[in-house]
């Protein structure tokens, strides 16, 4: 730890400097460099012994002579145990083209296979069959399928990175910092006042006052802005503090001059610290971290701060390797604080100090960078060479708040590569963009610095790693990186696996497995009970902190495991196009062996100290084997994404196998995207946490919640081509306000794995072990409804051919069909409600109705508009509205059309028995005399109150599991349900076991997976139209015009979608009603069994030879596809444009759903043949139909 410094009081006296006759002796000693009280001369470079290995590593390094770059031979002497591991996605030049060609030809014949993992145990890794020696495959990732056509232009990217190459280098003719402070005319007068006050303090000997003041004013390089801003007393204290540091160094006798000075005011701050160039001090005052946390991270609008930092030009007295590092923080003053976010004119968006000090050259650079930054979601990274020197100017721009802690993390990055900064600037602009400018230079040549590559090479590596650092500026293993034990790539890799381990380390135990084997996986009540037990069993045995502690103990294992990951996924693409040479880190790949899995397993077993440690470190092997592709080595990215092979999931916990899994990690969030089929669709939701405890709970259940939501979607999507999927984004506990930032990073990083690279040096090829093109179909969900337009436009900007179908729920101007405007979800719910009335011959207008989810919501408002029941109670976010005589229908319609809450209901229209209780009210007296103590509690439990006169309950909103096994008894009196009919419009409002209890008590109940599927049907048909039209036809026929008018086709298509929703809902309603009467099986169970039967038959049909029968295929597609699309585009064109696997899904889902709806979930073995025979009766006269019988028999078998 750094010793405390003597305090300096207002009068200038210090803790140890009160004897006048000793001052000169102390000062002479400091000035002469003899800072050791015992008279021992200070150490010099000549007598410092370096501990290096005797192994030479020879490589080519550049040298600069007269501005030209030459290849010269250098010898590196790396330390034996602490050779830094650099990035494996760097661009390297090899010594000769011939050797590169030979290497490529030899290695292109090889192929890397991921380890197949067993389903049952996540901690066990199957031994690979290939026992051949491991390969150091540095150059074996040249991908032949990427053709870079001459003149081909890159698509717009989320990140701008200047690509290395001779044509890209720009040399700045300007000398100096690029900033010129306005001259402070009163500087000399101020300096005199400062010296007068210092003499009055009496702490510094009078004969040294002038020299100390002159040193501070003229030799440290502080510009006039500081002196113009600070008061004379503040400057005096700064000079005294610096002098006190010199005195303290002499007094300690350790020869170390340590200065720690900071001052924080309302509108500015000053930090001064002793600093050794190129060294990150982990246990120091960490001023850069403080600046990040206090000023940069939270900069927004008028509360933005700019930073100027520089290193003193000369060394400190008696310190050959110490300099002063100064930081000056100023609150921004914008002439135009609220410009458009798209504004790029620096004169409009710039801070007044910046505009006053920046040279024209700096303004030109920032103007160009600003133009790129406004157009992108990720960082802009540029490098400029300084004319006549080896100094490089690194310029980074990004959106405010999108990279917390980046400023301090950058220092660790360039220190790792042997560079140091002379000056650093952070500028804030009122359009929400931050621009950093860092001047980097190589360390002075010493034996220790020889292990680092030359700055001409490392600057490009630093640029590449800025993109990685932007994703996770402060990872959980930052200490290992700052100390040099692990590289940035290794620490961020470890951070990602730490996240992975926290979600997937198997800790349920054998008891859970035994219980799961006893229960019926096809019984939905059993499945739900198992899910609850699983949540309970996931105790805090392996907390995130415990996992972190274990990983921190084994940095050597992390390095070995990372080498395997890098050897699989690193891509070497540019070869001789690179303009820099192999670095020491690159050479390490030729030295360090890449272990095979059996060697890794053995090394882990021998290295760990207990079983828990082995489980955690073995999970690294599981992660490596599961990753099919990643953007980890993509030169530019905004978050880290991994496409995982889900086979490592234990079958006993996740009986329904996933098809695809994406894991996305950033500093602001972590998220998954899960799907059960290749062609699948589902919403993307963002989960917030009220506090740290809630975040911990949400993080623990994140994957299971995502899995269950996708599984529910899979059942709901039974009669459409897409299977079920879902994406869940969990905001970090410290980033609850970063909804938009998290969503944009999540979407863009997943797109990195879906799109082929077209921008060399920006989006280079990735290793794809999946080997198949993937398309995801997404939609809005919690906290993302207003973000889908951006996702659609972004997909178009990145050149995705499927941008039109990427997201549903988008604006009608982009071809979207809004569910709320056309009542798509409600149409399906109403079909079940009206179906019950029809079967029981009930008069709808006399049915007393309870509804949760009021007139302000999508489902609730449309239910009011479409229904004709007698509403006796409505519960919404505002409170409870009740009238046993029936609520005024005209007033309800008014609220529904206005999307207003029940708080806006005209209370004068209530009968004498009616009342309204709002959530913020207390001690409310009801007409019955009952007093409601708390309106919030009353609202949350109203649907469970007994004695309420309701015939029908339609939940259109409310939290999941609002009725569960512990509360359902409140709705059952004397064994009979108090509410005869329930149609579950809101997702997961009633748990499955509660549904079964209600049905046993006589309630006619239709669950959400059946009733609430109108929205998914609408979205599916929206996707189909997007895929069927070309871009021009889509805009012409499916996009609302600028004046708000809709194309004729759009209006007609919406009506056909509505009819399709009602038809599908009616078919399922009748099938469930009929099968319940025949078997007595509860309707909520039949809903699941029908879904499973349809899904299973659908998947089987897609694999049979039925698809190959052109006549049958054409017939099914003509029946399944919307008539309007067939008339407008034609089947032939649709087949050409729509992906083949999507057409197969349409074929399978249509036949499967129609068969099961007609014959039930357990048909006879001849039922399918009979079903297909009826269809073929219409095709008997067409050529080719004579071969169909064998196809049908094969499918039926």
């Amino acid at each position: 730890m750094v010793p405390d410094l003597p305090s300096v009081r207002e009068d200038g006296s210090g803790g140890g400097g009160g004897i006048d006759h000793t001052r000169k002796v102390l000062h002479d000693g400091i000035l002469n460099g003899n800072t050791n009280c015992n008279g021992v001369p200070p150490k010099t470079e000549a007598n410092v012994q370096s501990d290096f290995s005797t192994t030479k590593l020879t490589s080519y390094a550049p040298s600069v002579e007269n501005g030209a770059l030459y290849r010269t031979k250098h010898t590196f002497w790396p330390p034996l145990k602490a050779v830094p591991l650099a990035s494996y996605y760097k661009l390297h030049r090899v010594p000769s083209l011939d050797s590169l060609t030979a290497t490529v030809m030899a290695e292109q014949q090889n192929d890397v296979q991921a380890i197949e993992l067993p389903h049952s145990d996540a901690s066990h890794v199957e031994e690979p069959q290939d026992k051949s020696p491991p390969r150091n495959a540095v150059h074996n990732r040249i991908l032949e399928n990427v053709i870079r056509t001459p003149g081909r232009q890159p698509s717009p990217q989320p990140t701008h990175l200047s690509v290395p190459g001779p044509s890209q280098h720009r040399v700045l003719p300007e000398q100096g910092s690029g900033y010129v402070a306005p001259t402070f005319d009163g500087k000399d007068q101020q300096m005199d006042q400062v010296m007068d006050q210092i003499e009055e303090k009496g702490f510094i000997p009078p004969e040294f006052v002038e020299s100390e003041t002159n040193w501070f004013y003229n030799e440290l390089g502080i510009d006039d802005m500081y002196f113009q801003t600070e008061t004379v007393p503040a400057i005096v204290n700064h000079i005294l503090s610096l002098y006190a540091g010199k005195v303290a160094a002499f007094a300690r006798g350790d020869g170390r001059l340590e200065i720690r000075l900071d001052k924080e005011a309302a509108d500015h701050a000053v930090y001064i610290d002793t600093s050794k160039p190129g060294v990150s001090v982990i246990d120091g005052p960490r001023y850069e971290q403080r600046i990040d946390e206090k000023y940069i991270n939270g900069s927004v609008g008028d509360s933005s701060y700019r930073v100027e930092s520089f290193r003193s030009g000369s060394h400190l007295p008696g310190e050959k390797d110490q300099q002063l590092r100064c930081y000056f923080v100023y609150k921004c003053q914008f002439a135009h604080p609220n410009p458009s976010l798209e504004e790029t004119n620096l004169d409009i968006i710039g801070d007044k100090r910046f505009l006053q000090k920046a040279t024209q050259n700096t303004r030109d650079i920032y103007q160009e960078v600003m133009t790129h930054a406004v157009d992108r979601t990720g960082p802009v990274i540029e490098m400029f060479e300084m004319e006549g020197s080896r100094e490089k100017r690194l310029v980074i721009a990004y959106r405010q708040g999108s990279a917390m802690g980046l400023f301090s993390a950058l220092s660790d990055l360039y220190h790792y590569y042997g560079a140091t900064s002379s000056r650093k600037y952070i500028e804030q602009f009122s359009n929400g963009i931050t621009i950093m400018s860092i001047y980097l230079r190589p360390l002075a040549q010493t034996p220790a610095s020889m292990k680092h590559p030359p700055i001409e090479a490392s600057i490009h590596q630093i640029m590449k790693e800025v993109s990685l650092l932007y994703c996770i500026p402060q990872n959980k293993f930052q200490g290992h990186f700052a100390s040099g034990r692990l590289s940035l790539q290794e620490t961020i890799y470890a951070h990602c696996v730490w996240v992975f381990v926290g979600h997937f380390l198997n800790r349920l135990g054998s008891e859970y497995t035994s219980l799961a084997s006893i229960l019926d996986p096809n019984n939905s009540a059993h499945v739900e009970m198992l899910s609850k037990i699983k949540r309970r069993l996931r105790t805090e045995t392996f907390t995130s902190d415990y996992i972190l502690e274990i990983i921190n103990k084994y940095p050597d294992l992390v390095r070995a495991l990372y080498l395997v990951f890098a050897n699989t996924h690193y891509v070497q693409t540019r070869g001789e196009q690179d303009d820099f040479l192999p670095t020491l880190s690159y050479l390490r790949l030729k030295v360090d062996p890449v272990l095979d899995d059996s060697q890794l397993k053995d090394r882990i077993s021998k290295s760990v100290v207990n079983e828990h440690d082995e489980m955690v470190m073995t999970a690294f092997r599981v992660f490596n084997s599961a990753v099919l592709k990643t953007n980890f080595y993509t030169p530019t990215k905004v978050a880290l994404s991994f496409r995982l092979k889900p086979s490592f999931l234990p079958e006993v916990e996740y009986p329904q196998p996933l098809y695809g899994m994406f894991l996305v990690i950033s500093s602001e969030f972590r998220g998954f995207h899960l799907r059960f089929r290749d062609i699948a669709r589902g919403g993307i939701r963002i989960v917030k946490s009220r506090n740290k405890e809630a975040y911990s709970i949400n993080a623990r259940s994140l994957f299971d919640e995502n899995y269950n939501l996708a599984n529910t979607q899979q059942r709901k999507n039974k009669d459409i081509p897409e299977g079920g999927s879902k994406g869940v984004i969990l905001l970090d506990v410290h980033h609850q306000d970063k909804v938009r930032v998290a969503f944009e990073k999540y979407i863009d990083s997943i797109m990195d794995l879906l799109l082929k690279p077209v921008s060399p040096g920006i989006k280079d090829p990735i290793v794809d072990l999946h080997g198949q093109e993937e398309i995801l179909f997404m939609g809005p969900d919690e906290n993302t409804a207003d973000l889908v337009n951006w996702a659609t436009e972004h997909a178009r900007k990145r050149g995705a051919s499927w941008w039109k179908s990427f997201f549903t729920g988008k604006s009608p101007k982009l071809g979207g069909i809004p569910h709320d405007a056309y009542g798509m979800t409600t149409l399906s719910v109403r079909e079940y409600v009206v179906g019950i009335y029809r079967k029981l011959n009930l008069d709808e207008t006399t049915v007393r109705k309870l509804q949760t989810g009021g007139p302000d919501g999508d489902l609730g408002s449309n239910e009011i508009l479409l229904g004709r029941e007698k509403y006796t109670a409505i519960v919404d976010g505002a409170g409870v509205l009740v009238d046993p005589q029936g609520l005024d229908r005209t007033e309800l319609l008014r609220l529904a059309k206005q999307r207003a809450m029940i708080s806006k209901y005209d209370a004068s229209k209530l009968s004498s028995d009616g009342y309204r209780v709002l959530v913020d009210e207390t001690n409310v007296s009801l007409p019955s005399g009952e007093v409601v103590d708390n309106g919030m509690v009353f609202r949350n439990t109203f649907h469970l109150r007994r004695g309420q006169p309701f015939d029908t309950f339609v939940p259109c909103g409310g939290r999941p599991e609002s009725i569960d096994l512990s509360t359902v008894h409140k709705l059952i009196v004397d064994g009979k349900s108090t509410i005869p009919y329930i149609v579950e419009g809101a997702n997961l409002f009633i748990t499955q076991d509660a549904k079964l209890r209600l049905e046993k008590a006589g309630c006619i109940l239709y669950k959400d997976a059946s009733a609430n599927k109108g929205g998914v049907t609408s979205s599916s048909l929206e996707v189909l139209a997007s895929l069927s039209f070309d871009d021009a036809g889509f805009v012409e026929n499916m996009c609302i015009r600028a004046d708000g008018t809709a194309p004729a086709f759009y209006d007609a298509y919406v009506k056909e979608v509505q009819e399709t929703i009602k038809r599908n809902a009616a078919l399922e309603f009748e099938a469930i009603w009929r099968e319940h009467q025949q078997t007595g099986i509860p309707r909520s169970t039949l809903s699941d069994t029908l879904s499973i039967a349809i899904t299973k038959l659908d998947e089987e049909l897609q694999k049979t030879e039925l698809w190959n029968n052109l006549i049958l295929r054409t017939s099914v597609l003509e029946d399944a596809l919307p008539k309007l699309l067939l008339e407008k585009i034609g089947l032939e064109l649709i087949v050409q444009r729509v992906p083949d696997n999507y057409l197969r899904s349409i074929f399978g889902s249509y036949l499967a759903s129609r068969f099961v709806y007609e014959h039930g979930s357990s048909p006879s073995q001849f039922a399918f043949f009979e079903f297909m025979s009826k269809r073929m009766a219409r095709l008997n006269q067409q050529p080719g139909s004579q071969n169909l019988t064998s196809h049908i028999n094969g499918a039926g078998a």
Side-chain angles (χ1 to χ4, degrees), residues 161-175:
L161 176 68
S162 58
V163 183
S167 63
Q168 296 291 330
H169 287 171
R170 285 182 286 179
V171 180
L172 298 181
E174 180 178 68
Q175 297 298 319

Side-chain angles (χ1 to χ4, degrees), residues 320-473:
K320 292 186 177 181
D321 60 351
Q322 289 270 68
Q323 295 173 316
L324 280 187
R325 165 66 75 178
C326 304
Y327 303 90
F328 301 97
V329 183
Y330 301 100
K331 190 171 185 179
C332 292
Q333 299 175 10
F334 298 117
H336 300 86
N338 298 301
S340 164
L341 295 180
E342 306 302 318
E343 180 61 62
T344 60
N345 188 330
L346 297 186
D347 290 320
I348 296 176
I349 60 180
D351 165 71
K352 292 179 180 179
R353 283 193 179 91
F354 165 76
L355 296 175
Q356 188 178 27
K357 297 180 65 174
T359 64
Q360 187 59 46
N361 195 43
T362 292
R363 289 172 65 113
D364 291 342
I365 292 172
Y366 280 26
Q367 187 65 70
E368 178 185 345
V369 169
M370 177 64 69
T371 302
H372 290 305
V374 166
D375 193 41
R376 288 169 171 80
T377 56
V380 174
I381 307 166
E382 289 275 10
M383 186 272 289
F384 303 88
E385 299 193 11
M386 306 301 292
E387 187 177 47
S389 75
R390 298 179 67 191
E391 194 168 52
K392 315 294 179 185
R393 185 176 184 180
L394 185 63
V395 181
I396 305 165
Y398 58 92
R399 296 187 182 275
Q400 287 178 339
S402 64
M404 301 295 203
L406 182 62
F407 176 59
S408 55
L410 282 170
S411 297
D412 295 335
L413 176 58
Y414 57 71
H415 288 167
Y416 186 85
Y417 286 102
T420 185
S421 63
S422 58
R423 300 176 303 284
K424 296 190 279 192
Y425 300 89
I426 301 178
E427 300 294 350
Q428 308 287 354
F429 296 88
S430 57
N431 66 344
I433 298 294
T434 299
I435 298 182
M436 292 185 187
S437 189
I438 304 174
Y439 292 76
L440 297 177
R441 59 178 56 167
L443 293 173
Q445 287 295 315
T446 64
S449 68
M450 289 299 294
K451 69 179 182 180
H452 298 295
I455 195 170
E456 288 75 15
S458 63
I459 185 63
H460 299 293
Q461 182 60 38
I462 291 169
M463 292 172 65
K464 294 268 183 263
E465 296 201 22
V466 168
S467 179
L468 188 63
L469 203 60
Y470 174 82
C471 299
I472 308 177

Side-chain angles (χ1 to χ4, degrees), residues 627-666:
V627 177
L628 296 177
K629 50 185 173 179
T630 176
N631 70 347
F632 194 94
Y633 298 105
T634 301
T636 62
K637 52 195 164 287
V638 296
L640 297 175
S641 55
F642 304 88
R643 168 60 161 92
L644 303 176
K645 179 172 57 177
S647 57
F648 68 88
L649 294 173
E651 186 177 357
V652 67
E653 293 186 52
Y654 306 100
Q656 185 74 13
L658 286 168
Y659 177 86
M661 177 194 305
F662 288 85
L663 169 62
V664 185
I665 301 172
S666 174

Side-chain angles (χ1 to χ4, degrees), residues 170-277:
R170 285 182 286 179
V171 180
L172 298 181
E174 180 178 68
Q175 297 298 319
S177 66
Y179 286 79
V180 177
T183 302
F184 178 30
D185 295 331
K187 186 174 181 180
D188 291 339
Q189 182 181 356
Q190 183 194 66
M191 188 174 177
D192 290 337
Q193 294 174 358
V194 168
M195 287 189 288
D196 290 342
Q197 290 196 19
I198 291 176
E199 288 183 358
E200 291 176 8
K201 300 287 186 182
F203 182 69
I204 299 177
E207 58 269 33
F208 298 125
V209 169
E210 183 175 355
S211 62
E212 289 296 316
T213 306
N214 184 66
W215 175 70
F216 184 81
Y217 265 79
N218 299 318
E219 295 184 29
L220 291 183
I222 303 174
D223 68 25
D224 283 8
M225 180 69 73
Y226 163 80
F227 297 106
Q228 193 169 3
T229 303
E230 289 293 350
T231 64
V232 169
I235 296 173
V236 168
N237 281 334
H238 291 171
I239 295 174
L240 291 175
S241 298
L242 294 177
Y243 186 78
K246 298 178 184 180
V247 174
F250 184 90
R252 286 195 309 269
D254 60 4
R256 294 181 59 195
L257 177 56
E258 295 178 346
I259 295 172
R260 305 283 188 266
L261 187 154
D262 59 81
K263 177 198 172 184
E264 296 175 346
D267 60 349
H268 71 281
V270 178
Y271 305 94
I272 300 178
D273 183 24
T274 46
S275 170
K276 183 177 180 180

Side-chain angles (χ1 to χ4, degrees), residues 850-854 860 873-876 942-943 953-958 986 989:
L850 164 66
Q851 179 177 311
T852 57
I874 294 180
V875 181
D876 70 0
F942 180 82
H943 62 283
F953 178 24
V954 182
C956 295
F989 188 84

